[in-house]
Every structure is written in C-alpha cells, then in structure tokens.
Amino acid sequence: MDATIPTRQPIVIPRAEHNISRSQISPNALKVLYRLRSAGFRACLVGGGVRDLLLGREPKDFDVATDAHPEEVHRLFRNCRLIGRRFRLAHVQFGQEIIEVATFRAMQMVGDDEEGLGPVLDENGRIISDNVYGTIEDDAWRRDFTINALYYDIESFAVLDYANGMEDLRNGVIRLIGEPEQRYREDPVRMLRAVRFAAKLGFRLHPSTEAPIASLGHLLRDIPPARLFDEVLKLFMGGQAESTFELLRHYRLFGHLFPATEHCLAYQKDHYPRTLLVKALRNTDDRITDGKPVTPYFLYAALLWEPLKLRLGQLLAAGMTEQEATELAAEQVIDEQVRHTAIPKRYSQPMKEIWALQPRFTQTGGRRPLKLLGHPRFRAGYDFLLLRAACGEVEPKLAEWWTRFQDADEDGREAMLRADKEGGAKTRRRSRRPRKRRPVAASGVE
Ligand code: ATP
Ligand code: MG
C-alpha cells in the first residue's frame, strides 16, 4: 500500500491504545464536539490539536471537523460567526478562545482561512477555487501532511488514521499526502509549513517531500504578500525561530521571502551579517520560552537591518545627510520588502522608529539622553542597541552607559550627564577624537 494515499478504511486506534484524554482538550472544544454529536452530526478534532496531543505537547488551538454544513453549525451555536465567502468556516467564540469548525471537504484547499480557495487550478497547478463538501475520507485526502490528517472522534474517543500518520508521528517524519510536486504546486505555502513543522517538532522531511523543494521554491513569489506575512509570523514567532531560519536557508526558501536580506547574507561574508539576525531570533525564542511578549516589528527590524545598512551606506556615499539617508533608506527597504511579504503600517512605523533611534544613542551629553529616554519607542530601540553591541557593531561601553542611565535615579542621571559634559564618558570622548574618514562602503554605517 502506498502510505501517502489515504485508505477508505482508516486504521482505528481505540481509546485504550492512545494517550489523548478529554482532560487535555479545551472544555470549549469539547462543548462544540458534544453539541454537534448530540444534534446527530459527526464531530472530530483534527490537525495540530490531535498531532500535538499525541506527541504529549500542548496544542496551540483546537480545530473541529464535522459533516454539519456551516449554516447548520451556525444554527446550533449562538456565539457563532460564519467567515469566508468562497471557503465558509464557522468560528464559535468563547471569550478569547475561538473554536474553528470546518465542514468535511473534498479536494484540496489552500488554507483554513478566508483566503482559502479550492480545486480549480491555474496554469501552475495552483488551486484557485473550491467549496466542495465531502466525506471524512475526502477531508483526510485534502490535508497537507500525514501527521496533520489524524482525527479524534468524539463518538468513540478513538483516533482515526487515514494516511498512516501514526507511523510517521512515531518515526518523526513530515510526509506530504499524495504526489509531492503536485501538492506543492497546488499550494506552495506547504513548503513553508513543512519546514515549520520540522523545526517545531524536531522532525525530518521524508526524502520524497524534501526533493521537490529545491526546484519549486520560486513558486512562493506568486503567493499574495498578505498571506506570506501571516506565514512569516508563524515561522518566527512559534518559539523555534532560530532553527526555522537555518532550515529555511538550507532549503533555499528564505531568499524567496526576504530577497534583500538573502543578498546580504550571501554576498557580505566578511561582515558576518548573520550574527545580529541570529541573535535576534534566539532572543525571540528565549522570550517565548519565558512567556514574555514578542513583537513582529522588532523581528522585522532585525530581519531587514542588513539591507537597511547597505542602502544607507549607498545614500550617504551619494552625499545625503544622515537623517535624510536614514529616512529614505527605511522607505526603500520596506517598499521593496512589501512586494514579497506584506508589513502592515502598525508594524512598519515602529520599525522605522527603531532604526531612526540608533544614531541618537551615540549622543550621551546634554539634555538629549533624557529626551530619548522619554521616546515611546525607547525600550525597543535600546533592545536593538544591545543586539548591535552584542555582535560588535557598537562599543559595548555605549550600551552599558544606557543600561546604567536607565537604571539610575534622577540624581544619578544628572551626574552621568555632567560627567559626560566634563568628558567623563569614554564613548563620547572616543567619538570626539578626530579621525580619518573611512570610505562608507568599507565601513558600513557606523
Ligand atoms: P499549528 O496550528 O500548530 O500551527 P496545524 O497543523 O493545526 O498547526 P493549521 O494552520 O492550524 O495548522 O491548520 C489546521 C489543519 O488544516 C492542518 O493540520 C492541516 O490538516 C490543514 N491545513 C492547513 N493548511 C493547509 C494547507 N495549506 N494545505 C492542506 N491542508 C492544510
Ligand atoms: Mg491549528
């Protein structure tokens, strides 16, 4: 039997032979499953929720699949909204938690969201329209990976395995259902999903799932930037940003998401441009592990820092003032990036501010540091300065000065500013010393 073609008859893993207990499932998801069931419908948990529970991990969310049509789901739940026009889904809302309820579908799909389109294909084999309901077997077939096509049936508490997902789960294998090249062509984002799950779960790609990626990465260029923005957040804000980045580069996918950054990584070997980015990704992972918030704009500021420095250097060399050049470089780098992954204004504005604050940190005398401390983006700018210091872009003393300045009380700050005025701060003294101007191209923006 070909393991990648779902069988009509699933392998049934009875309750006694798997580890999913109802106590691990969100009470709201259980409510939805039970109500569908008592109204006479089939109802299963599916996707990441089942996969993660089987692995003993805490699921991010719980998705429900049912044979009830969206309108029927809507009638059963007062707190229910139907979303998507061509790809209808029911969202049942319980306070902050949303349980997504999807009707079993036939054929392939692009995603469980409003952008989701269906089984009519374009000239590249990409799906461009769909809303065909089907049986649970059809539904298993249209899913991406075998480990994502496991169903937890609320009627029997059994796990239903149509695509040999249990075996792949045991062996740590990410394997596409069906013919790999065709499945990537239908929806190229599956290449990113393969990498994301490999990094998240510590799994490896099955050779047949891995092989086509080298020649199909370019198909990502046709995906709407808004969808790629969402995917980028999932890639880098899931707690495994560093290993995800390494894998994306390994499979040559990173350059299709961030071409300008890839260019810097590939051609500026002597400047070690990976360092700041990798440190930023590592920090992001650590913060997520510690339960601290992470912001997309900080991540994007780090992802595009090398292209920004490159452009800034060119504009300065062309004779612009530092302020003009910084503003224009930021505009240009962001304009270029949004052709690939969207960056909503609420993120691009703070990114520009983080960048624009960087030169202001070199001024440690007079009243300016106090003004900078009051800037709404001070904290993010300072964190970015620490990153730059950690990879040798700025003097560690400068970063230390700002750390002490922040922690000091009012008198302490005044003393530091005075000391600096009297020539006490070493960083300032250094920058006052006349020095030969090095050509911009060789020295970067520092
Ligand atoms: P997580 O939520 O942990 O990121 P997940 O597997 O639940 O992982 P979702 O994006 O929430 O991923 O999607 C839920 C399920 O929908 C998947 O497990 C998969 O079965 C199916 N799915 C999602 N996107 C696609 C796609 N592009 N192609 C085919 N099936 C998909
Ligand atoms: Mg999910």
Side-chain angles (χ1 to χ4, degrees):
M1 184 187 74
D2 183 338
T4 61
I5 300 190
T7 49
R8 286 280 139 190
Q9 288 304 318
I11 301 169
V12 178
I13 301 105
R15 171 65 193 97
E17 289 170 31
H18 66 72
N19 65 322
I20 300 183
S21 113
R22 273 165 290 162
S23 65
Q24 298 163 299
I25 300 172
S26 126
N28 295 325
L30 282 175
K31 250 183 244 170
V32 171
L33 290 166
Y34 283 136
R35 191 170 308 169
L36 284 165
R37 175 74 206 114
S38 52
F41 297 108
R42 278 201 86 169
C44 299
L45 273 188
V46 67
V50 180
R51 179 194 68 218
D52 291 350
L53 284 179
L54 286 168
L55 289 170
R57 305 169 69 105
E58 193 183 333
K60 210 176 63 191
D61 46 35
F62 292 94
D63 296 322
V64 170
T66 177
D67 57 0
H69 284 197
E71 296 71 23
E72 294 172 316
V73 179
H74 192 244
R75 275 200 291 277
L76 282 178
F77 298 95
R78 256 189 320 122
N79 46 337
C80 173
R81 244 165 22 98
L82 296 186
I83 64 156
R85 261 174 304 141
R86 277 185 287 183
F87 197 91
R88 303 205 91 195
L89 286 172
H91 274 183
V92 188
Q93 180 121 25
F94 300 88
Q96 294 278 60
E97 191 181 15
I98 291 177
I99 305 296
E100 195 167 280
V101 184
T103 305
F104 295 143
R105 274 194 189 76
M107 315 280 216
Q108 297 83 354
M109 46 165 291
V110 167
D112 279 349
D113 56 25
E114 289 193 49
E115 305 266 314
L117 306 172
V120 176
L121 307 180
D122 69 8
E123 72 274 14
N124 289 322
R126 226 177 93 202
I127 306 167
I128 49 177
S129 123
D130 162 64
N131 222 351
V132 186
Y133 300 128
T135 61
I136 185 167
E137 292 84 0
D138 299 325
D139 195 72
W141 170 246
R142 59 94 180 177
R143 292 186 181 267
D144 47 8
F145 305 105
T146 60
I147 58 167
N148 285 349
L150 293 159
Y151 295 76
Y152 171 82
D153 191 346
I154 200 64
E155 188 173 354
S156 58
F157 310 129
V159 171
L160 311 178
D161 180 2
Y162 291 89
N164 249 359
M166 285 301 271
E167 192 179 319
D168 285 341
L169 209 56
R170 271 193 298 274
N171 296 331
V173 172
I174 308 283
R175 187 197 310 248
L176 274 167
I177 295 173
E179 205 283 303
E181 178 163 344
Q182 182 195 338
R183 299 308 309 280
Y184 286 138
R185 285 190 181 278
E186 283 167 6
D187 181 10
V189 169
R190 288 173 184 149
M191 290 183 272
L192 299 177
R193 290 176 59 86
V195 166
R196 177 157 71 85
F197 293 129
K200 167 176 162 157
L201 305 173
F203 281 23
R204 64 184 193 285
L205 303 194
H206 186 270
S208 65
T209 294
E210 184 173 53
I213 295 181
S215 58
L216 297 181
H218 66 94
L219 295 174
L220 287 172
R221 304 267 174 151
D222 301 329
I223 302 296
R227 185 164 179 224
L228 286 186
F229 175 75
D230 291 343
E231 285 302 320
V232 165
L233 294 192
K234 289 186 199 166
L235 287 165
F236 293 129
M237 296 181 66
Q240 299 293 339
E242 189 184 353
S243 51
T244 305
F245 168 73
E246 301 296 354
L247 274 184
L248 286 173
R249 290 211 74 221
H250 172 79
Y251 287 114
R252 299 187 189 284
L253 293 172
F254 184 77
H256 296 296
L257 297 173
F258 293 93
T261 310
E262 176 64 30
H263 176 84
C264 294
L265 292 168
Y267 296 106
Q268 290 185 296
K269 292 212 165 60
D270 50 334
H271 285 212
Y272 300 105
R274 291 175 83 256
T275 328
L276 183 131
L277 179 51
V278 169
K279 278 192 195 305
L281 297 173
R282 203 172 292 159
N283 278 358
T284 306
D285 291 342
D286 291 344
R287 289 183 67 90
I288 290 172
T289 309
D290 297 343
K292 294 183 188 158
V294 291
T295 51
Y297 61 77
F298 192 85
L299 203 64
Y300 261 85
L303 277 160
L304 296 176
W305 177 239
E306 286 301 324
L308 179 91
K309 286 200 303 181
L310 188 68
R311 185 61 53 88
L312 185 54
Q314 290 160 349
L315 296 176
L316 288 174
M320 270 192 186
T321 66
E322 186 161 30
Q323 198 190 340
E324 278 174 346
T326 307
E327 277 172 29
L328 187 60
E331 285 297 334
Q332 290 181 345
V333 166
I334 291 173
D335 280 355
E336 165 74 19
Q337 180 59 34
V338 297
R339 298 188 351 228
H340 306 280
T341 72
I343 309 177
K345 275 261 173 333
R346 67 180 185 284
Y347 299 136
S348 58
Q349 194 49 39
M351 280 166 68
K352 289 181 195 167
E353 289 170 13
I354 288 177
W355 291 338
L357 288 185
Q358 295 310 306
R360 291 177 57 183
F361 282 105
T362 56
Q363 298 160 349
T364 52
R367 310 313 294 165
R368 284 173 174 171
L370 289 171
K371 224 174 134 194
L372 187 51
L373 203 57
H375 191 285
R377 212 60 72 187
F378 172 81
R379 184 73 211 189
Y382 163 77
D383 284 342
F384 204 79
L385 180 78
L386 290 189
L387 269 183
R388 296 175 62 216
C391 52
E393 269 196 24
V394 292
E395 292 262 358
K397 282 210 168 64
L398 184 64
E400 282 160 23
W401 190 92
W402 280 99
T403 307
R404 276 191 290 119
F405 189 66
Q406 267 184 95
D407 294 342
D409 59 15
E410 209 173 310
D411 290 346
R413 283 178 189 163
E414 287 300 334
M416 285 177 77
L417 295 174
R418 257 197 323 275
D420 192 72
K421 204 169 167 191
E422 289 155 11
K426 297 217 169 59
T427 49
R428 180 63 186 261
R429 258 205 322 218
R430 280 176 66 95
S431 66
R432 271 187 193 158
R433 203 185 298 152
R435 57 172 184 163
K436 259 201 200 147
R437 231 186 117 84
R438 283 184 294 165
V440 171
S443 64
V445 293
E446 282 78 50

